[in-house]
Amino acid sequence: MSKRTARRPVPPSAAAACPCGAAAYGDCCGPLHAGAAAPTAERLMRSRYSAFAIGDRAHLLRTWHPRTRPAALDPDPGLEWVRLEVLGTTGGTAFHNEGTVDFRAVYREDGHERGLREHSRFLRHEGAWVYLDASA
């Protein structure tokens, strides 16, 4: 079986801890995965991290700016996303049209924990926050 075998998203129960670590899934990223709009760029980034953690490709593609969105997305099911640390934000509130989120995502691969540091940019597109791009 290929390491990149597709899998269906398996969301946590509403009462379970959200993968992003902020609250219970039903009060945090769950509603965004179900289609609710993110109120801030940080909330969108957290929901995207959680989507990677549970394999929700539809949410990832839906919340990606059309100018930079890939035609397809193939997250590696061999990665286990362990925790998210938000290091800083700029803009990204109801009063802004753009924002950034600096974060560190920790994942486990082949039994070893590794970190990914990223500075993500978000824009409002048709009234909703979307992910534009990032620099490491």
Side-chain angles (χ1 to χ4, degrees):
M1 181 181 269
S2 166
K3 188 175 182 182
R4 294 205 177 266
T5 300
R7 63 181 174 141
R8 289 180 171 259
V10 181
S13 70
C18 189
C20 82
Y25 181 72
D27 296 327
C28 193
C29 294
L32 279 66
H33 291 172
T40 66
E42 180 182 344
R43 284 286 307 278
L44 180 62
M45 186 280 306
R46 286 180 173 281
S47 76
R48 290 176 55 80
Y49 168 86
S50 293
F52 273 106
I54 67 171
D56 188 345
R57 295 179 197 175
H59 178 72
L60 292 166
L61 291 170
R62 180 176 63 248
T63 60
W64 210 310
H65 195 286
R67 189 171 72 222
T68 57
R69 179 176 40 226
L73 187 61
D74 194 16
D76 188 341
L79 298 183
E80 176 189 355
W81 294 96
V82 177
R83 73 182 165 278
L84 174 67
E85 302 164 7
V86 174
L87 305 172
T89 63
T90 61
T93 72
F95 303 105
H96 299 100
N97 288 317
E98 41 187 85
T100 65
V101 180
D102 189 26
F103 68 92
R104 181 172 182 263
V106 177
Y107 63 93
R108 187 174 297 119
E109 181 178 35
D110 298 326
H112 301 286
E113 278 194 8
R114 297 181 170 90
L116 165 75
R117 175 90 186 261
E118 186 173 293
H119 185 79
S120 294
R121 292 191 312 156
F122 297 87
L123 296 175
R124 284 199 188 268
H125 178 73
E126 298 178 356
W129 285 110
V130 292
Y131 168 77
L132 180 64
D133 60 16
S135 59

